[in-house]
Every structure is written in C-alpha cells, then in structure tokens.
C-alpha cells in the first residue's frame, strides 16, 4: 500500500517530500488531538480528589511531572489550568488541520493544472498517426473528468496513509489504558471492515464502468457539436437527442451505483462500531472493573475513532472507484510520450534554393515494412518540385496526394526512400525549423471567431499591420476585408459564418502567407468554391508566383485551378503516372486529359429543369 501510494504520486508529479509533508501535518494534528483528549483524564482525577494535587502526585508519577510542567510557567495546577491545557491542545490541532488542508488543496490544484498542460502539450507533440487513432472526445474527457478523478485517487491514497498513522497512534494510546479492551476494539473494527469487503470489490468494477460512460459521453458530444448544420439539415435531431438520452442514462446509472455503494457503507459501519462500543462499556465496567475515568477516556477515543474509520473506509471505497481513471490517465500520458514525434536533425532549414526531390519513396499507413504484404499509399515515388514554382498534385481519390505532401513537413515518415531539399535529407533539419518553413492552408479552413487581422496573424502573432495587409492583398482578400464595416477588426463569426466559402479560403490563404514560409501547401483550395471565387483564388496564385519566391504545392481536384501550374504531377494508386505542364498533359492523353475534359463538359452542360 505505502509503496503503491508513493509510486502513484510520482507518476502524477507529486514529490515524496510533499507526501511526507502531508503525512507529517496529519500526524502533528493527531498528536495535538491526543494530548487534548489525554488531558481529560487528569481533569476527572482532579475533580474526584477534590483538588488534592499532593495526594495525586504521591500516587502517580506522571502527576508529579504535570505539577513540574505547571511550575515552569509560574502557576499551580487547577481545574482552570487543566481545562485551558485541553483547549490549547485542540487549538493547535486545528492549526495543523488548517495548514494541511491548505497545503493539500494547493498541491492538488497545481498537479491538476500541470497534468492538463503536460497532456495537452504531449498530444500536440505526438505524431499524426497517434492523433488520428483516437477521437478528440475521449482525449477531452481524459484531460478533464478522468484527470480529476485520477488525482483524487492519488490524494485518497495519501489520506488513507494518514488515517493509518492516526489509527496506529490511537491504538498505542488505547493499549496504555487497557490491552484487553484494545483487542476488543480492534476486533470490532475488524468485523466492520470484513462486512464491507464486498462493497469494495463492487466499487472497482463500477469505477471502470464510470470511466467508460464518461468517455462515451464526451466523444458523442464533441462529434455532434462540430456538425450542427449536418444534423439539422439531415433532420436527425430526434435521433441524436435519443442517443444523448441513452448515454446520459448510462452515465447517471453508473454514478448512482457509486453513490449507492457509499450509502450502503454509511449505514453498515456506524451501527457496527456503536454496537461494539456499547459492548465495550458493559465489559469494561461489569467484567474488568476499570476506573470510571479510564472507561470515559477509552470511550471518547473509540467515539473519536468512529468517524475516522467511516471516512477511511469511504476514501478506500472511493479510491477503488477512481482507480480506472488513474490507470487511464497514466496510460494516456505514456502513450502520448511514446508517440512523440522524432526530432532527429539539428540543421536549420532556411528555404528552397533549387529543388525538393523525392527518391523511391514508399509509405504504408499500417507502418508495414516494404516487401511485406501490405497496401502502400505511395509506391516508389520519384519526382522533383522546382524552387519558386507552382507544382500541382492531381489524381483520383486515394491516389496518395495528401500523403505525399504530409511527408514534406515530416508529419509522416516514409518506410523507404528519401526526401531531399537542395540535396539535404529533410531528416537532417530540426523539426521546428522545418515546420516553420512550411505554411499550410487546408481544404476546409478552421476560422476562429476573432477579428480578421487576428486570424491572419495566427501562427505569427507579432506580424505588423502592414504585413497583414500585404498578405491579404496577395491572397486577394484585401478587397472584401476593407469593404466590411470594421475592416480588419471585423469578427469572422463562429467557424467563419459571416464569410462566404471563397472569402474564408482567401482569408486562410492570407494567414498562410503572413508566416513568410518558403514552402506553401494548399490542399484542394477550390474544390468547394463557385466559379467566381475560383477565379479570384487563381489570380491570387498568379500573384504569389509573380511577386514572391515561394515554392507552392497544390493538391487539386478541380483541374481548372491548376492549369497555370509550372508542373502538374498525376498520381494513381500511389504511383506517379505522368508529369508536365497543362498543355503537355493534354497532348499526351491519359487520365489528366480525360478528367479535365470531363470537368469542362460538366461545367458547360446546361441545367435541365425537371
């Protein structure tokens, strides 16, 4: 138990020194409490002896020591002094309790904040395959609800150790008064502990079910809150509400089970201990003929131990119920650390002077080795992307376009082959400098509800207003931004709801451009745009090529967007099947020509009314 508590504390970042501090404060409070309770015995004896201190000192040595202690402070033994001694001891005990509660609260909140930060930071630094392997709802639940329960589990263990120390001290005191009655008291508490053993085992099982229910609820909420428009337009409000009701009921039932077990514990422990105390009073007076003051003190200690035993049992049961949460958090933190991206290189990446080259690159999503029977997303890909040029990657869905661009900033690592920039293997560059050298604009921009200028600055918060305007001009976003009532101070709305699809795309392009990264990756930027917005975006690409030296890589589904590209690379089934300019690929025939003509025909086909 002790070793486990210290190990658990270390795993969440609580030092052994802090554990000892908490235990020391609890032990100090216990000592003061015992001193105050022990002072009741001389009060009874003083009253029974009619204040004859001399006789009491002759009969018992410790009374002589008590008289000497009073003499040190310059006054004699009296009823008032004995009562004051009891009160002072109890006040000191309260001081220890107060300091311990404050220290524990601060440590607990510091550990919670530290673990949340550590968990979030580790998630951000974990590789892409790990982030894609689990849903965000489970991670949100683990870093909020389960984390709180995990920390509660560890501090519950420390509290149990403190109660253990308290029980040892109290038992030693009881032994001084009467060994036989102490054994009887231990037997009473032992029977109580045995009676609730089954409840402890049930708490462990229900605790795991609570963790599972919490994770399911968080996953459901995070997923559904992302897509309110889809739910509304699909008319599935009632279906989703029913799913929510089922998950809520499951979560409620599991929590009620935990509370029911705690209630059962409450009603079992107290009658057992009080009944035992009554048996103790009978035996101590009728059989053992103990002095009345000794019986009174013994009974007070037993009564004082009752809430301690109840609380210790409750904490132990609660700790069993939260053990699954602790294990889930430790497992989550360990997994994220193992999945941490490999830093590797130390060279500083500054830009592309000549070419980005891929040589026999292979990649499999299951991580299988080349040569082993597995599905390769990229198969022996070799190509060159010229510096300062626009290179378009096209091909059918699943051809490997997104996988290929993910390899450039080392979001993924190929199982074979190598990628070089100006002859330097990209693994030689530090991950931080390489990522800073690559700007990315996704197909569906993630727009925050912040002023437009602040969104453009995302990733480079110190960009000047002049740089923000310049990026907006390059992205063909300046005109619509300046036409808005508050200009660059206008709010974008939740998810960019105050902007059209084309405006969101160009605003996000401005964000990517303001970073001044030498490589710009655009992932299907016009697939959801109308013809006018596509023309504006094409014009932005022309300006970028004409006015900057940025190396642009465009993934395109709408081929009309990339006819201006310096090179178009056609991928099919993870292989490069053709490359060249728009005119060269049209002349060569094959997939590109057929796809381009098909798209052109579709765009020109008149609408047929039904």
């Amino acid at each position: 138990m002790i070793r486990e508590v210290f190990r658990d504390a270390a795993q969440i970042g609580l030092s052994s020194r802090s554990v000892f501090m908490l235990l020391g404060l609890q032990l100090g409070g216990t000592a003061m409490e015992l001193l105050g309770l022990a002072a009741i015995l001389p009060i009874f004896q003083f009253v029974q002896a009619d204040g004859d201190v001399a006789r009491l000192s002759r009969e018992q040595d410790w009374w002589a020591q008590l008289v000497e202690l009073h003499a040190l402070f310059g006054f004699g033994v009296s009823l008032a002094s004995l009562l004051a001694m009891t009160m002072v001891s109890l006040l000191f005990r309260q001081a220890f309790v107060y300091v311990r509660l404050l220290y524990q609260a601060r440590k607990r909140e510091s550990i919670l904040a530290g673990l949340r930060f550590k968990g979030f930071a580790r998630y951000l630094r974990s590789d892409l395959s790990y982030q894609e392997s689990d849903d965000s709802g489970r991670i949100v639940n683990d870093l909020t609800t389960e984390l709180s329960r995990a920390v509660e589990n560890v501090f519950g263990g420390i509290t149990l150790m403190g109660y253990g120390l308290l029980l040892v001290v109290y038992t030693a005191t009881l032994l001084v008064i009467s060994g036989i009655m102490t054994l009887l008291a231990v037997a009473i508490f032992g029977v109580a502990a045995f009676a609730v053993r089954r409840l402890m085992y049930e708490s462990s099982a229900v605790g795991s079910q609570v963790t599972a229910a919490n994770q399911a609820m968080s996953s459901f909420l995070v997923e559904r809150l992302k897509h309110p428009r889809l739910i509304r337009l699909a008319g599935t409000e009632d279906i989703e509400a029913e799913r929510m009701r089922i998950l809520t009921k499951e979560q409620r039932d599991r929590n009620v089970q935990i509370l029911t077990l705690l209630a059962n514990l409450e009603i079992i422990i107290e009658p057992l201990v009080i009944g035992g105390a009554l048996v103790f009073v009978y035996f101590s007076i009728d059989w053992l003929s103990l002095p009345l003051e000794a019986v009174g003190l013994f009974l007070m200690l037993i009564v004082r131990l009752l809430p301690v035993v109840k609380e210790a049992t409750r904490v132990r049961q609660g700790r069993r119920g939260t053990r699954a949460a602790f294990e889930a958090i430790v497992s989550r933190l360990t997994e994220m650390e193992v999945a941490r991206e490999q830093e590797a290189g130390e060279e500083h990446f500054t830009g592309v002077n000549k070419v980005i080259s891929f040589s026999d690159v292979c990649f499999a999503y299951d991580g299988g080795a080349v040569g082993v029977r597995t599905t390769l997303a990229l198969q022996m890909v070799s190509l060159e992307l010229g510096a300062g040029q626009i290179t378009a990657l096209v091909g059918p869905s699943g051809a490997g376009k997104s996988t290929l661009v993910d390899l450039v900033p080392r979001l993924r690592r190929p199982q074979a082959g190598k990628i070089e920039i100006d002859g330097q293997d990209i693994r030689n560059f530090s991950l931080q400098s390489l990522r800073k050298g690559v700007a990315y604009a996704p197909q569906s921009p993630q727009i925050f509800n912040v002023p437009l200028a602040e969104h453009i600055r995302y990733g480079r918060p110190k960009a000047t207003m002049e740089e923000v305007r310049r990026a907006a001009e390059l992205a063909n976003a300046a005109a619509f931004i300046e036409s808005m009532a508050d200009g660059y101070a206008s709010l974008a709305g939740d998810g960019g709801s105050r902007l059209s699809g084309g405006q969101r795309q160009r605003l996000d392009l401005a964000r990517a451009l303001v970073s001044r990264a030498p490589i710009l990756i655009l992932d299907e930027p016009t697939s959801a745009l109308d013809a006018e917005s596509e023309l504006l975006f094409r014009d932005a690409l022309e300006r970028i090529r004409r006015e900057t030296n940025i190396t642009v890589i465009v993934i395109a589904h709408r081929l009309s967007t990339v006819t201006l590209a310096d090179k178009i690379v056609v991928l099919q089934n993870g292989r490069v099947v053709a490359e060249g300019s728009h005119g060269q690929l049209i002349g060569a025939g094959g997939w590109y020509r057929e796809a381009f003509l098909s798209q052109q025909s579709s765009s020109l086909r008149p609408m047929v009314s039904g």
Side-chain angles (χ1 to χ4, degrees):
M1 165 69 179
I2 295 175
R3 183 178 298 176
E4 179 185 284
V5 169
F6 277 96
R7 185 185 67 244
D8 292 350
Q11 286 182 298
I12 66 166
L14 186 65
S15 67
S16 298
R17 181 177 176 274
S18 297
V19 176
F20 280 121
M21 183 71 174
L22 287 168
L23 293 175
L25 288 170
Q26 184 150 7
L27 190 59
T30 301
M32 290 298 103
E33 181 177 358
L34 279 174
L35 185 60
L37 291 175
I40 294 175
L41 182 60
I43 291 172
F44 278 123
Q45 292 179 337
F46 183 85
V47 172
Q48 286 181 332
D50 293 327
D52 190 347
V53 176
R55 179 168 68 83
L56 292 171
S57 298
R58 290 193 301 272
E59 292 175 353
Q60 300 182 59
D61 292 339
W62 64 269
W63 258 101
Q65 296 170 359
L66 187 61
V67 171
E68 292 177 5
L69 179 63
H70 277 67
L72 286 176
F73 293 96
F75 52 82
V77 177
S78 65
L79 181 60
S81 70
L82 293 174
L83 291 172
M85 186 170 67
T86 300
M87 189 63 190
V88 167
S89 299
L90 293 178
L91 287 176
F92 269 110
R93 182 251 182 193
Q94 292 304 99
F96 272 101
V97 170
Y98 180 73
V99 172
R100 177 176 62 81
L101 291 176
L102 280 184
Y103 184 77
Q104 180 168 305
R106 289 181 179 178
K107 278 294 176 183
R108 186 181 186 279
E109 293 307 313
S110 295
I111 292 295
L112 272 172
L115 284 174
R116 283 202 180 101
F117 169 76
K118 180 189 288 187
F120 185 64
R122 285 190 180 184
Y123 175 77
L124 292 180
R125 294 187 177 95
S126 61
D127 60 39
L128 194 59
S129 60
Y130 174 80
Q131 294 176 355
E132 292 173 341
S133 67
D134 207 346
D135 63 77
S136 54
R138 289 174 60 88
I139 294 170
V140 168
N141 177 70
D142 284 351
L143 295 184
T144 52
T145 304
E146 300 311 310
L147 181 57
S148 297
R149 297 177 70 230
V151 172
E152 179 186 338
N153 180 270
V154 174
F155 277 89
I158 298 171
T159 301
L160 277 180
M161 285 179 61
Y163 285 146
L165 286 173
L166 188 148
L167 289 171
V168 169
V169 172
Y170 268 67
T171 302
T173 305
L174 291 172
L175 281 170
V176 171
I177 300 174
S178 171
I180 295 176
M181 296 312 299
T182 300
L183 292 176
L184 178 59
V186 169
I188 292 170
F189 289 127
V191 170
F194 182 81
V196 299
R197 184 179 58 174
R198 184 179 61 83
L199 296 178
M200 297 295 178
Y201 291 124
E202 287 185 29
S203 296
S204 298
V206 176
S208 298
Q209 294 168 4
V210 168
T211 297
N214 289 339
Q215 289 176 337
M217 170 66 77
S218 295
S219 296
F220 178 84
L221 277 176
V222 170
E223 287 180 355
R224 276 21 177 218
L225 291 175
K226 285 180 182 177
H227 307 291
R229 288 171 63 88
L230 172 63
I231 293 172
R232 186 169 300 167
L233 294 175
T236 57
E237 294 97 327
D238 293 341
I239 295 174
E240 298 298 353
E242 177 61 17
R243 289 175 181 170
M244 182 66 176
R245 188 193 66 78
I246 293 171
L247 288 170
T248 303
K249 181 178 181 298
E250 177 68 15
Q251 193 176 40
R252 180 204 66 192
D253 290 347
R254 298 290 80 78
N255 284 318
V256 167
Q257 274 187 275
I258 285 287
L259 294 174
T260 301
L261 291 171
L262 288 173
N264 292 342
L265 188 71
E266 185 78 16
I267 63 171
I268 290 174
I269 289 290
E270 193 162 335
L272 284 172
V273 174
I274 292 178
L278 295 176
V279 171
F280 154 76
V281 171
Y282 172 77
F283 274 93
S284 60
I285 295 176
D286 201 53
W287 285 46
L288 300 177
S289 301
L290 290 178
L292 186 60
E293 63 270 20
V295 174
L297 179 58
F298 204 105
L299 192 58
M300 286 185 67
L301 290 172
I302 292 293
V303 170
R304 176 66 189 94
L305 273 176
L306 173 60
V308 172
V309 172
K310 284 176 60 179
E311 183 65 13
T313 308
R314 188 195 65 79
V315 170
R316 183 164 178 250
Q317 186 181 31
R319 191 163 182 263
R320 281 179 172 268
T322 56
R323 190 63 191 175
F326 174 80
E327 291 170 354
I329 289 299
V330 171
S331 176
R332 173 71 71 185
L333 292 174
T334 302
E335 287 173 1
M336 289 192 289
E337 184 62 21
V338 170
R340 186 184 181 93
E341 286 187 304
Q342 298 177 7
E343 177 60 38
E346 297 179 356
E347 296 291 328
H348 185 75
F349 176 67
T350 56
V352 186
N353 296 318
K354 296 179 181 178
V355 67
I356 302 173
S357 60
F358 292 75
S359 302
D360 299 328
V361 171
C362 297
F363 179 84
Y365 275 97
D366 58 7
V370 176
V372 177
R373 172 165 256 164
T374 185
T375 302
L376 292 176
L378 296 175
Q379 305 182 54
M380 303 298 288
V381 171
S382 296
L383 62 95
E384 292 187 345
L385 314 179
Q389 296 182 352
I390 297 177
T391 302
L393 303 178
V394 302
S397 297
K401 303 183 294 294
S402 296
T403 302
L404 187 66
V405 296
D406 283 348
L407 297 176
V408 176
R410 281 177 25 207
L411 290 175
R412 306 187 194 278
R413 297 184 296 276
Q415 279 78 40
K418 63 180 178 179
I419 306 164
E420 296 176 317
I421 298 178
D422 297 334
Q424 180 83 286
D425 193 318
I426 65 169
R427 291 174 296 183
N428 295 333
F429 296 118
S430 70
L431 197 59
Q432 184 179 24
S433 69
L434 182 62
R435 295 274 171 84
K436 282 187 176 180
V438 180
Y440 174 73
Q443 177 182 358
S444 301
Q446 303 300 307
I447 309 293
F448 300 112
N449 188 22
V450 296
L452 303 183
E454 186 175 335
H455 179 80
I456 293 174
R457 286 193 179 99
Y458 186 76
R460 190 167 168 246
K462 294 183 179 180
T464 65
M465 199 61 212
E466 182 180 347
E467 290 172 321
V468 168
R469 288 194 180 95
R470 172 60 178 159
E473 288 171 2
L474 276 174
N476 261 352
F480 83 77
I481 292 175
E482 291 168 2
S483 70
M484 298 178 74
D486 296 318
Y488 286 88
S490 302
L491 292 175
D494 188 20
S497 59
R498 297 182 182 178
L499 306 175
S500 69
Q503 289 172 338
R504 287 196 295 270
Q505 201 73 53
R506 281 174 278 140
L507 178 70
D508 207 46
L509 177 58
R511 173 198 56 77
L513 290 170
V514 85
S515 67
R516 298 189 301 193
I519 300 174
L520 172 63
I521 296 175
L522 305 174
D523 189 354
E524 299 200 20
T526 62
S527 61
L529 302 186
D530 57 37
E532 182 181 354
S533 296
E534 182 190 2
L535 286 173
L536 288 170
F537 199 90
R538 277 169 50 88
D539 184 56
L541 288 179
E542 285 276 18
R543 294 187 65 177
I544 292 168
R545 178 169 58 184
R546 185 172 62 247
E547 300 177 26
T548 74
N549 193 37
I550 296 174
T551 301
V552 181
I553 306 171
V554 185
I555 298 174
H557 172 72
R558 185 177 289 182
L559 301 182
S560 56
T561 305
V562 297
T563 55
L564 55 79
D566 298 288
K567 178 191 284 189
I568 300 172
V569 179
V570 182
L571 286 141
Q572 284 185 284
N573 299 319
R575 296 181 183 274
V576 175
V577 296
E579 56 181 294
S581 66
H582 170 70
Q584 290 170 335
L585 292 176
I586 289 292
W591 182 89
Y592 182 83
R593 175 186 170 86
E594 292 178 7
F596 180 79
L597 294 177
S598 174
Q599 289 182 11
Q600 291 294 101
S601 174
S602 297
S603 64
L604 295 174
R605 187 178 301 132
M607 294 293 290
V608 179
S609 61

Coordinates of all heavy atoms in Angstrom, one line a residue, residues 101-141:
L101 N -4.9 21.2 5.1 CA -5.9 21.3 4.1 C -5.5 22.3 3.0 O -5.8 22.1 1.8 CB -7.3 21.7 4.8 CG -7.9 20.7 5.6 CD1 -9.2 21.2 6.3 CD2 -8.3 19.4 4.8
L102 N -4.9 23.5 3.5 CA -4.5 24.5 2.5 C -3.4 23.9 1.6 O -3.4 24.1 0.4 CB -4.0 25.7 3.2 CG -5.0 26.7 3.7 CD1 -4.4 27.9 4.3 CD2 -6.0 27.1 2.6
Y103 N -2.4 23.2 2.3 CA -1.3 22.7 1.5 C -1.8 21.6 0.5 O -1.3 21.6 -0.6 CB -0.3 22.1 2.5 CG 1.0 21.6 1.9 CD1 2.0 22.4 1.4 CD2 1.2 20.2 1.7 CE1 3.1 22.0 0.9 CE2 2.3 19.7 1.1 CZ 3.3 20.6 0.7 OH 4.5 20.1 0.1
Q104 N -2.7 20.8 1.0 CA -3.2 19.7 0.1 C -4.0 20.3 -1.1 O -3.9 19.9 -2.2 CB -4.1 18.8 0.9 CG -4.7 17.6 0.0 CD -5.3 16.6 0.9 OE1 -4.7 16.0 1.8 NE2 -6.6 16.3 0.6
A105 N -4.8 21.4 -0.8 CA -5.6 22.0 -1.9 C -4.7 22.6 -2.9 O -4.9 22.5 -4.1 CB -6.5 23.0 -1.3
R106 N -3.7 23.3 -2.5 CA -2.8 23.9 -3.4 C -2.0 22.9 -4.2 O -1.8 23.1 -5.5 CB -1.8 24.9 -2.7 CG -2.5 26.1 -2.1 CD -1.5 27.0 -1.4 NE -2.2 28.2 -0.9 CZ -1.6 29.2 -0.2 NH1 -0.3 29.1 0.1 NH2 -2.3 30.2 0.2
K107 N -1.5 21.9 -3.6 CA -0.8 20.8 -4.3 C -1.7 20.1 -5.3 O -1.3 19.8 -6.4 CB -0.3 19.8 -3.3 CG 1.0 20.2 -2.7 CD 2.2 20.2 -3.7 CE 3.5 20.7 -3.1 NZ 4.5 20.9 -4.2
R108 N -3.0 19.9 -4.9 CA -3.9 19.2 -5.8 C -4.2 20.0 -7.0 O -4.1 19.5 -8.1 CB -5.2 18.9 -5.0 CG -6.2 18.1 -5.8 CD -7.5 17.9 -5.0 NE -8.4 16.9 -5.7 CZ -9.2 17.3 -6.7 NH1 -9.2 18.5 -7.1 NH2 -10.0 16.4 -7.3
E109 N -4.5 21.3 -6.8 CA -4.8 22.1 -8.0 C -3.5 22.3 -8.9 O -3.6 22.4 -10.1 CB -5.3 23.5 -7.5 CG -6.7 23.4 -6.9 CD -7.7 22.7 -7.7 OE1 -7.8 23.0 -8.9 OE2 -8.4 21.8 -7.2
S110 N -2.3 22.4 -8.3 CA -1.1 22.5 -9.1 C -0.9 21.3 -9.9 O -0.5 21.4 -11.1 CB 0.1 22.8 -8.1 OG 0.0 24.0 -7.5
I111 N -1.1 20.1 -9.3 CA -0.9 18.9 -10.0 C -1.9 18.8 -11.2 O -1.6 18.4 -12.3 CB -1.1 17.7 -9.1 CG1 0.1 17.6 -8.0 CG2 -1.2 16.4 -9.8 CD1 1.4 17.3 -8.6
L112 N -3.2 19.1 -10.9 CA -4.2 19.1 -11.9 C -3.8 20.0 -13.1 O -3.9 19.6 -14.3 CB -5.6 19.6 -11.4 CG -6.5 18.5 -10.7 CD1 -7.6 19.2 -10.1 CD2 -6.9 17.5 -11.8
A113 N -3.4 21.2 -12.8 CA -3.1 22.2 -13.9 C -1.8 21.7 -14.6 O -1.8 21.7 -15.9 CB -2.8 23.6 -13.3
G114 N -0.8 21.2 -13.9 CA 0.4 20.7 -14.5 C 0.1 19.5 -15.4 O 0.7 19.4 -16.5
L115 N -0.7 18.6 -15.0 CA -1.0 17.4 -15.8 C -1.9 17.7 -17.0 O -1.7 17.2 -18.1 CB -1.8 16.3 -15.0 CG -1.0 15.5 -14.0 CD1 -1.9 14.7 -13.1 CD2 0.1 14.7 -14.7
R116 N -2.8 18.7 -16.9 CA -3.6 19.1 -18.1 C -2.6 19.7 -19.1 O -2.7 19.5 -20.3 CB -4.6 20.1 -17.7 CG -5.8 19.5 -17.0 CD -7.1 20.3 -17.1 NE -8.2 19.6 -16.5 CZ -8.6 19.8 -15.3 NH1 -8.1 20.8 -14.5 NH2 -9.6 19.1 -14.8
F117 N -1.7 20.6 -18.6 CA -0.8 21.2 -19.6 C 0.1 20.1 -20.2 O 0.4 20.1 -21.4 CB 0.1 22.2 -18.8 CG 1.3 22.7 -19.6 CD1 1.1 23.6 -20.6 CD2 2.6 22.2 -19.4 CE1 2.2 24.0 -21.4 CE2 3.6 22.6 -20.1 CZ 3.5 23.5 -21.1
K118 N 0.6 19.2 -19.4 CA 1.5 18.2 -19.9 C 0.8 17.3 -20.9 O 1.3 17.0 -22.0 CB 2.0 17.3 -18.7 CG 2.9 16.1 -19.2 CD 3.2 15.2 -18.1 CE 4.2 15.8 -17.1 NZ 4.6 14.8 -16.0
G119 N -0.5 16.9 -20.6 CA -1.3 16.1 -21.5 C -1.5 16.8 -22.8 O -1.3 16.2 -23.9
F120 N -1.9 18.1 -22.8 CA -2.2 18.8 -24.0 C -0.9 19.0 -24.8 O -0.9 18.8 -26.0 CB -2.8 20.2 -23.6 CG -3.2 21.0 -24.8 CD1 -4.2 20.5 -25.7 CD2 -2.6 22.2 -25.1 CE1 -4.6 21.3 -26.8 CE2 -2.9 22.9 -26.2 CZ -3.9 22.5 -27.1
A121 N 0.2 19.3 -24.1 CA 1.5 19.5 -24.8 C 2.0 18.2 -25.5 O 2.4 18.2 -26.6 CB 2.5 20.1 -23.8
R122 N 1.8 17.1 -24.7 CA 2.2 15.8 -25.3 C 1.4 15.5 -26.5 O 1.9 14.9 -27.5 CB 2.2 14.7 -24.3 CG 3.3 14.8 -23.2 CD 3.3 13.6 -22.4 NE 4.4 13.6 -21.4 CZ 4.7 12.7 -20.5 NH1 4.0 11.5 -20.6 NH2 5.7 12.8 -19.7
Y123 N 0.1 15.8 -26.4 CA -0.8 15.5 -27.6 C -0.4 16.3 -28.8 O -0.3 15.7 -29.9 CB -2.2 15.8 -27.2 CG -3.2 15.7 -28.4 CD1 -3.6 14.4 -28.8 CD2 -3.6 16.8 -29.1 CE1 -4.5 14.2 -29.9 CE2 -4.5 16.6 -30.2 CZ -4.9 15.4 -30.6 OH -5.7 15.2 -31.7
L124 N -0.1 17.6 -28.6 CA 0.4 18.4 -29.7 C 1.7 17.9 -30.3 O 1.9 18.1 -31.5 CB 0.5 19.9 -29.3 CG -0.8 20.6 -28.9 CD1 -0.5 22.0 -28.5 CD2 -1.8 20.6 -30.0
R125 N 2.5 17.3 -29.5 CA 3.8 16.9 -30.0 C 3.9 15.4 -30.4 O 4.9 14.9 -30.9 CB 4.9 17.1 -28.9 CG 5.1 18.6 -28.6 CD 6.3 18.8 -27.6 NE 6.6 20.2 -27.4 CZ 6.1 20.9 -26.4 NH1 5.3 20.3 -25.5 NH2 6.4 22.2 -26.3
S126 N 2.7 14.7 -30.3 CA 2.7 13.3 -30.7 C 2.5 13.3 -32.2 O 2.1 14.3 -32.9 CB 1.5 12.6 -30.1 OG 0.2 13.2 -30.4
D127 N 2.9 12.2 -32.8 CA 2.9 12.1 -34.3 C 1.4 12.0 -34.8 O 0.5 11.7 -34.1 CB 3.7 11.0 -34.8 CG 3.3 9.6 -34.3 OD1 2.1 9.4 -34.2 OD2 4.2 8.8 -34.0
L128 N 1.3 12.3 -36.1 CA 0.0 12.4 -36.7 C -0.8 11.1 -36.6 O -2.0 11.1 -36.5 CB 0.1 12.8 -38.2 CG -1.1 13.3 -38.9 CD1 -1.8 14.5 -38.2 CD2 -0.8 13.7 -40.3
S129 N -0.1 10.0 -36.8 CA -0.8 8.7 -36.7 C -1.5 8.4 -35.4 O -2.5 7.9 -35.3 CB 0.2 7.5 -37.0 OG 1.2 7.5 -36.1
Y130 N -0.8 8.9 -34.3 CA -1.4 8.7 -33.0 C -2.7 9.6 -32.9 O -3.7 9.2 -32.4 CB -0.4 9.1 -31.9 CG -1.1 9.1 -30.5 CD1 -1.2 7.9 -29.8 CD2 -1.5 10.3 -29.9 CE1 -1.8 7.9 -28.6 CE2 -2.1 10.3 -28.7 CZ -2.3 9.1 -28.0 OH -2.9 9.0 -26.8
Q131 N -2.5 10.9 -33.3 CA -3.7 11.8 -33.2 C -4.9 11.3 -34.0 O -6.0 11.6 -33.7 CB -3.2 13.2 -33.7 CG -2.2 13.8 -32.8 CD -1.7 15.1 -33.3 OE1 -2.0 15.6 -34.4 NE2 -0.8 15.8 -32.6
E132 N -4.6 10.6 -35.1 CA -5.7 10.1 -36.0 C -6.3 8.8 -35.4 O -7.3 8.4 -35.8 CB -5.2 9.8 -37.4 CG -4.8 11.1 -38.1 CD -4.1 10.9 -39.5 OE1 -3.6 9.7 -39.7 OE2 -4.1 11.7 -40.3
S133 N -5.6 8.2 -34.5 CA -6.0 6.9 -34.0 C -7.1 6.9 -32.9 O -7.7 6.0 -32.6 CB -4.8 6.1 -33.4 OG -4.3 6.7 -32.3
D134 N -7.3 8.1 -32.3 CA -8.3 8.2 -31.2 C -9.1 9.5 -31.5 O -8.6 10.4 -32.1 CB -7.5 8.4 -29.9 CG -8.4 7.9 -28.7 OD1 -9.6 7.7 -28.9 OD2 -7.9 7.6 -27.6
D135 N -10.4 9.4 -31.0 CA -11.2 10.6 -31.3 C -11.0 11.7 -30.2 O -10.6 11.4 -29.1 CB -12.7 10.2 -31.3 CG -13.2 9.6 -30.0 OD1 -13.4 10.4 -29.1 OD2 -13.3 8.4 -29.9
S136 N -11.3 12.9 -30.6 CA -11.0 14.0 -29.7 C -11.8 14.0 -28.4 O -11.4 14.5 -27.4 CB -11.2 15.3 -30.4 OG -12.5 15.4 -31.0
G137 N -13.0 13.4 -28.5 CA -13.9 13.4 -27.3 C -13.3 12.6 -26.2 O -13.4 13.0 -25.0
R138 N -12.7 11.5 -26.5 CA -12.0 10.7 -25.4 C -10.9 11.4 -24.8 O -10.6 11.4 -23.6 CB -11.5 9.3 -26.0 CG -12.6 8.4 -26.4 CD -12.0 7.1 -27.1 NE -11.1 6.4 -26.2 CZ -11.4 5.5 -25.4 NH1 -12.6 5.1 -25.2 NH2 -10.5 4.9 -24.7
I139 N -10.1 12.2 -25.6 CA -9.0 13.0 -25.1 C -9.5 14.1 -24.2 O -8.9 14.3 -23.1 CB -8.1 13.5 -26.3 CG1 -7.5 12.3 -27.0 CG2 -7.1 14.5 -25.8 CD1 -6.8 12.7 -28.3
V140 N -10.6 14.8 -24.7 CA -11.1 15.8 -23.8 C -11.6 15.3 -22.5 O -11.3 15.9 -21.4 CB -12.3 16.5 -24.6 CG1 -13.1 17.4 -23.6 CG2 -11.8 17.3 -25.8
N141 N -12.3 14.1 -22.5 CA -12.7 13.5 -21.3 C -11.5 13.2 -20.4 O -11.6 13.4 -19.1 CB -13.5 12.3 -21.6 CG -14.0 11.5 -20.3 OD1 -14.8 12.0 -19.6 ND2 -13.4 10.4 -20.1

